[in-house]
Amino acid sequence: SSWWSHVEMGPPDPILGVTEAFKRDTNSKKMNLGVGAYRDDNGKPYVLSCVRKAEAMIASKKMDKEYLPIAGLADFTRASAELALGENSEAFKSGRYVTVQGISGTGSLRIGANFLQRFFKSSRDVYLPKPSWGNHTPIFRDAGLQLQAYRYYDPKTCSLDFSGAMDDISKIPEKSIILLHACAHNPTGVDPRQEQWKELAAVVKKQNLLVYFDMAYQGFASGDINRDAWAVRYFIEQGINIVLSQSYAKNMGLYGERAGAFTVICSDTEEAKRVESQLKILIRPMYSNPPLNGARIASIILNTPDLRKEWLMEVKGMADRIISMRTQLVSNLKKEGSSHNWQHITDQIGMFCFTGLKPEQVERLIKEFSIYMTKDGRISVAGVTSGNVGYLAHAIHQVTK
Amino acid sequence: MAASIFAAVPRAPPVAVFKLTADFREDGDARKVNLGVGAYRTDEGQPWVLPVVKKVEQMIANDNSLNHEYLPILGLPEFRANASRIALGDDSPAIKENRIGSVQSLGGTGALRIGAEFLRRWYNGNNNTATPVYISAPSWENHNSVFVDAGFKDIRTYHYWDAAKRGLDLQGLLDDMEKAPEFSIFILHACAHNPTGTDPTPDQWKQIAAVMKRRFLFPFFDSAYQGFASGSLDKDAWAVRYFVSEGFELFCAQSFSKNFGLYNERVGNLTVVGKDADNVQRVLSQMEKIVRTTWSNPPSQGARIVATTLSSPQLFAEWYDNVKTMADRVLLMRSELRSRLESLGTPGTWNHITEQIGMFSFTGLNPKQVEYMIKEKHIYLMASGRINMCGLTTKNLDYVAKSIHEAVTKIQ
């Protein structure tokens, strides 16, 4: 007999399941709107030109493969902090922060979660928006924390339930942890407006909550890196010492290279050194030190003026294509004769859109039209092209009229 | 402003081996030698990117059909299959019987951690944090931290290094296994034990396996030096394969940091050997969940290099040659250091330097002598007396031998 006889089969990942089913489908019109990765207007993965240039530079330099420090590539972590905080940020200029390289967004979130579990003794509770990225819950749970929720998405309007959010947040016990999506909320695409962010900052400050920002789409949401980081920077300016997770998977198309960072804003540089030493103690028994390739590409791009400029243009290009697909989807739905209000499709931002479609309607889209998305009605707008947006609109109209 | 929530966070001590390198870097003495961190160095004292790696990286860079899309959660399929095949052997019965699984991981450390997390959740009951975990005395210092952070509460040591005779304390080891509670987990170094460089012989491994089988002890192999130790992949995997042939279910954490020189790309693999395919499938499905909350999916660059190399007969042969180059240089440094110490008449016996295997040697120097080496001679080694043979070169052999001689004769 086996040691593992009692081990249950783990449930399949819901998003991967979508892609598996899509792959098996033989319909030539099939669309994969589950994938959380950018596609160009031909539906193909897009390797950024600035990334190719950075890679060519790396190849020509013939560098060694020595271990990185536990905290990662210093040029990368410094540039990452500057990108998030802004070069004029007092917190950045004073050095009262620590940024460590993480394994893309997930790895950075997990380091932060483990750090809070070990050193943030005031609370075990992490408050997530309802809904949030599916992986947030197991990450925090595996780190030993407990999950709570605050109202966020209003399914009736397909937009932000601001009063519900403010109400819930104002009642969160002091010194709990609250997670906020910095921009391009996943899965809903619903972000607070700047005036709303200001009110959120005030209530969070009043309740003395520890703010954990997850920023996986800086630049990718609006096309403007400063605009997308506005909330993060505003909170810090209000004296809220946040912790922050960043990912370069989407905005630099570095998905499989796992480039990310975790930052703690501290009182001063001395505290930052202490915090950094403890982060290293956490990282060492997880994977010792991080992978170089993605961080090096990102670092070269961020630190080389020409490449940085090119990157900003390319990330804007990706964001613009997404925005354009949203617009085209809505106009096509109108052309189909749909009487529903689809304004939320263009109001929402980022890679994902919460269409408002119900599970039965999603089921019909999959079975009758070979259009694949997750059961919650979320579509990845990145999977929409000018070639298939008409078909998508037609199908959505059929299942909703 | 209110006091910081992190005001009470204490400053953690630096990881010793990295601190050693940091101190070495700051040292301005021209004679300085770094015998600390475990990375290969050429006879010029330089890092060495394997020629086959350079070649394959260029191939990858020139291939415009490649992109940076996410790998599957468990990693690159061609990497996983080839990596496990390297450990278990082309003709492994376990592979033929389709009862193995692989998880691409962030280096050997990552593979150990995923295995440890899985064992804590699913081994010997559900979430049984009380299962004893046995680690050799001494061992790589990070082993302890991996299992502690994975949630195990009862970490113990098993006898391994006999300081008096400078060799394996086999009897102590076997006694510990006899006394260990059934189902205890034992971390075994597949070859080139770190830090002692002392491995059981095949006969000794057979005795170890017999006790473990009888007492239902779980073998978790750490294989960080396959090929690098003896120059032969098969020889260095003998213990793992023997256990498989004896019908054990086991884990083997593999690292490609040293044998491919891919340190900073974090290439590792957790090989799972089970009773049958069904068990392995369920195990992998649960490991997938653990991976998803730790790093989601692994980095692609290093895995691509290894997969490309291992799946091409020509590149594989080149790699094998590169590995042998490294192993041979280490063997040469061992014999050269030993002969110098013996010529100098340095007190004690020094045959252990050539009898030990792999990157490291447990010299037998005590902490005071080590301090002398560092402070007076600017030769950096771990407080345990462990030296990295790769830090030796034809240029510094004489200086190091003389310094060891001085340390041993001046300091007790």
Side-chain angles (χ1 to χ4, degrees):
Chain A
S1 77
S2 166
W3 286 126
W4 319 122
S5 313
H6 67 297
V7 175
E8 298 151 17
M9 190 71 177
D13 189 280
I15 298 173
L16 273 178
V18 169
T19 295
E20 293 304 303
F22 168 82
K23 282 193 186 139
R24 289 192 294 268
D25 193 324
T26 51
N27 185 340
S28 61
K29 288 207 156 97
K30 66 180 181 177
M31 290 176 68
N32 186 356
L33 301 182
V35 69
Y38 181 79
R39 295 286 176 264
D40 64 17
D41 203 45
N42 295 312
K44 297 274 177 268
Y46 172 59
V47 178
L48 276 65
S49 163
C50 63
V51 167
R52 289 218 189 277
K53 288 190 175 128
E55 288 179 302
M57 282 169 68
I58 292 168
S60 72
K61 279 202 188 126
K62 309 203 174 304
M63 297 159 162
D64 65 41
K65 297 221 166 277
E66 294 299 287
Y67 287 122
L68 278 178
I70 299 175
L73 186 66
D75 283 346
F76 167 72
T77 52
R78 195 194 157 277
S80 210
E82 190 199 39
L83 179 68
L85 307 181
E87 59 180 351
N88 293 319
S89 148
E90 165 274 327
F92 177 73
K93 288 199 288 203
S94 70
R96 63 176 184 94
Y97 70 92
V98 52
T99 299
V100 295
Q101 185 180 335
I103 314 295
S104 205
T106 300
S108 304
L109 280 163
R110 181 59 181 272
I111 291 169
N114 278 18
F115 176 75
L116 294 176
Q117 190 280 336
R118 195 172 278 187
F119 291 102
F120 188 68
K121 292 308 186 186
S122 326
S123 173
R124 303 284 75 178
D125 287 328
V126 179
Y127 285 75
L128 300 181
K130 233 186 308 195
S132 194
W133 181 46
N135 207 19
H136 277 145
T137 293
I139 287 172
F140 285 104
R141 186 173 294 145
D142 279 6
L145 296 169
Q146 281 153 203
L147 281 311
Q148 309 289 349
Y150 56 91
R151 275 174 287 170
Y152 189 80
Y153 178 72
D154 185 347
K156 285 194 237 66
T157 59
C158 295
S159 64
L160 180 64
D161 177 4
F162 185 61
S163 58
M166 288 294 289
D167 191 28
D168 283 353
I169 294 174
S170 67
K171 296 188 178 111
I172 294 179
E174 224 207 359
K175 294 191 188 164
S176 304
I177 301 161
I178 181 171
L179 183 125
L180 297 164
H181 297 223
C183 63
H185 181 273
N186 178 2
T188 68
V190 169
D191 285 350
R193 293 189 305 275
Q194 283 183 6
E195 318 89 73
Q196 293 171 322
W197 273 123
K198 287 180 177 173
E199 289 192 55
L200 286 164
V203 71
V204 140
K205 211 171 164 183
K206 183 158 170 291
Q207 293 304 109
N208 197 12
L209 305 178
L210 187 147
V211 175
Y212 198 151
F213 267 111
D214 181 355
M215 184 154 69
Y217 300 98
Q218 187 183 5
F220 197 92
S222 70
D224 179 334
I225 48 156
N226 294 312
R227 188 149 158 212
D228 289 348
W230 189 86
V232 168
R233 297 174 187 184
Y234 179 77
F235 273 57
I236 296 172
E237 278 161 29
Q238 296 308 302
I240 302 168
N241 285 354
I242 65 160
V243 302
L244 165 75
S245 157
Q246 291 168 272
S247 167
Y248 292 88
K250 285 84 171 172
N251 62 10
M252 283 195 184
L254 289 174
Y255 307 92
E257 303 297 339
R258 322 309 292 130
F262 174 69
T263 294
V264 180
I265 305 295
C266 299
S267 309
D268 50 51
T269 54
E270 189 270 337
E271 180 174 285
K273 284 262 157 265
R274 283 185 283 114
V275 170
E276 182 185 31
S277 72
Q278 295 295 347
L279 289 170
K280 283 153 76 166
I281 297 286
L282 270 166
I283 292 169
R284 172 77 166 149
M286 241 190 240
Y287 51 83
S288 275
N289 41 74
L292 173 65
N293 200 43
R296 184 129 68 189
I297 294 170
S299 175
I300 286 177
I301 291 170
L302 293 173
N303 291 311
T304 309
D306 283 349
L307 288 183
R308 190 184 177 109
K309 237 187 274 170
E310 187 170 0
W311 172 58
L312 292 176
M313 275 170 22
E314 288 191 277
V315 81
K316 185 171 189 317
M318 291 193 284
D320 284 349
R321 195 186 87 70
I322 303 265
I323 292 167
S324 149
M325 288 303 102
R326 290 178 179 275
T327 308
Q328 286 191 41
L329 179 57
V330 172
S331 66
N332 272 276
L333 282 163
K334 289 207 180 90
K335 254 192 278 174
E336 287 283 327
S338 177
S339 55
H340 293 289
N341 179 358
W342 297 105
Q343 190 186 331
H344 54 282
I345 290 181
T346 41
D347 282 347
Q348 288 167 12
I349 191 168
M351 192 177 279
F352 300 112
C353 168
F354 241 31
T355 54
L357 292 167
K358 301 188 182 51
E360 323 82 71
Q361 295 167 326
V362 170
E363 179 103 22
R364 284 189 61 196
L365 282 175
I366 295 175
K367 292 224 152 62
E368 295 172 33
F369 296 91
S370 295
I371 294 174
Y372 292 81
M373 63 188 68
T374 45
K375 271 204 289 278
D376 54 9
R378 181 193 87 162
I379 61 171
S380 170
V381 183
V384 181
T385 69
S386 46
N388 63 26
V389 64
Y391 178 66
L392 175 62
H394 174 77
I396 290 177
H397 178 55
Q398 294 309 307
V399 306
T400 56
K401 64 184 180 186
Chain B
M1 194 155 51
S4 165
I5 42 184
F6 302 125
V9 173
R11 181 76 171 255
V15 176
V17 69
F18 299 133
K19 171 93 180 22
L20 197 69
T21 292
D23 291 344
F24 168 81
R25 282 214 187 98
E26 276 175 37
D27 189 328
D29 196 298
R31 299 165 296 172
K32 66 179 182 177
V33 182
N34 187 357
L35 300 180
V37 75
Y40 180 78
R41 291 286 178 269
T42 63
D43 197 50
E44 286 74 43
Q46 293 304 310
W48 192 51
V49 178
L50 275 57
V52 73
V53 167
K54 280 194 189 136
K55 188 190 251 189
V56 173
E57 278 196 311
Q58 198 56 58
M59 284 163 63
I60 290 172
N62 295 340
D63 187 350
N64 279 331
S65 74
L66 291 176
N67 55 42
H68 292 292
E69 292 297 289
Y70 288 126
L71 286 182
I73 296 174
L74 294 179
L76 186 67
E78 309 82 75
F79 168 79
R80 296 163 56 208
N82 277 298
S84 290
R85 182 176 59 82
I86 289 291
L88 302 178
D90 288 334
D91 52 1
S92 170
I95 295 179
K96 291 206 172 84
E97 290 154 25
N98 195 27
R99 53 187 181 85
I100 73 129
S102 328
V103 179
Q104 180 188 337
S105 311
L106 283 264
T109 305
L112 283 163
R113 182 60 177 264
I114 298 302
E117 292 278 352
F118 176 85
L119 289 173
R120 193 260 299 158
R121 285 165 173 72
W122 295 102
Y123 175 70
N124 197 24
N126 281 0
N127 201 38
N128 188 353
T129 59
T131 301
V133 178
Y134 282 82
I135 297 173
S136 68
S139 191
W140 182 49
E141 97 290 345
N142 205 20
H143 278 144
N144 201 77
S145 313
V146 168
F147 284 85
V148 166
D149 280 15
F152 285 98
K153 301 288 182 218
D154 186 358
I155 318 260
R156 310 180 184 185
T157 57
Y158 60 89
H159 284 86
Y160 195 84
W161 172 250
D162 184 332
K165 72 171 217 239
R166 283 193 196 159
L168 178 67
D169 178 5
L170 180 68
Q171 201 46 58
L173 192 164
L174 293 173
D175 281 348
D176 284 339
M177 286 185 168
E178 291 288 359
K179 294 197 201 95
E182 285 183 342
F183 318 129
S184 296
I185 298 163
F186 274 76
I187 312 308
L188 305 167
H189 297 228
C191 69
H193 182 272
N194 177 1
T196 69
T198 300
D199 291 343
T201 63
D203 267 335
Q204 292 171 331
W205 274 122
K206 285 179 178 172
Q207 292 180 64
I208 291 167
V211 178
M212 290 187 75
K213 192 186 259 190
R214 188 168 27 85
R215 310 235 50 256
F216 305 107
L217 306 175
F218 183 82
F220 195 150
F221 279 99
D222 182 353
S223 175
Y225 301 99
Q226 190 185 2
F228 196 97
S230 69
S232 158
L233 292 173
D234 293 331
K235 195 154 170 219
D236 291 347
W238 188 88
V240 178
R241 296 175 189 182
Y242 177 73
F243 272 65
V244 172
S245 72
E246 285 293 298
F248 281 90
E249 292 186 297
L250 55 83
F251 287 174
C252 180
Q254 301 167 259
S255 168
F256 292 90
S257 289
K258 284 83 172 173
N259 60 15
F260 260 88
L262 285 173
Y263 307 94
N264 65 25
E265 300 293 1
R266 315 312 294 126
V267 201
N269 187 52
L270 177 68
T271 289
V272 175
V273 179
K275 275 273 144 49
D276 53 50
D278 182 65
N279 273 298
V280 171
Q281 289 291 40
R282 282 180 283 105
V283 168
L284 286 187
S285 75
Q286 293 297 347
M287 285 185 173
E288 207 174 75
K289 288 180 68 186
I290 295 168
V291 169
R292 183 64 168 143
T293 62
T294 312
W295 55 64
S296 264
N297 42 78
S300 81
Q301 179 73 352
R304 270 184 184 154
I305 295 169
V306 174
T308 304
T309 306
L310 295 182
S311 49
S312 147
Q314 188 199 325
L315 293 172
F316 177 86
E318 284 181 43
W319 172 59
Y320 208 98
D321 206 59
N322 291 169
V323 171
K324 200 165 180 310
T325 297
M326 293 191 285
D328 285 350
R329 196 180 95 67
V330 170
L331 287 169
L332 179 64
M333 290 301 102
R334 284 185 180 278
S335 81
E336 292 286 302
L337 179 62
R338 174 182 168 180
S339 67
R340 275 167 180 69
L341 290 170
E342 285 171 350
S343 315
L344 287 168
T346 308
T349 55
W350 301 101
N351 46 301
H352 58 281
I353 292 195
T354 48
E355 279 158 23
Q356 288 165 7
I357 190 166
M359 200 178 268
F360 302 114
S361 174
F362 239 28
T363 54
L365 293 173
N366 65 41
K368 284 211 195 78
Q369 293 163 336
V370 169
E371 194 174 344
Y372 177 85
M373 292 284 284
I374 297 174
K375 291 217 156 64
E376 304 302 323
K377 312 307 292 186
H378 305 273
I379 296 173
Y380 290 75
L381 64 155
M382 302 297 288
S384 60
R386 183 193 91 168
I387 60 172
N388 177 6
M389 303 305 296
C390 301
L392 292 174
T393 68
T394 46
K395 288 198 187 68
N396 65 28
L397 267 167
D398 285 336
Y399 178 63
V400 173
K402 285 207 190 84
S403 303
I404 291 177
H405 182 84
E406 269 183 45
V408 170
T409 48
K410 282 190 180 161
I411 318 273
Q412 265 74 54

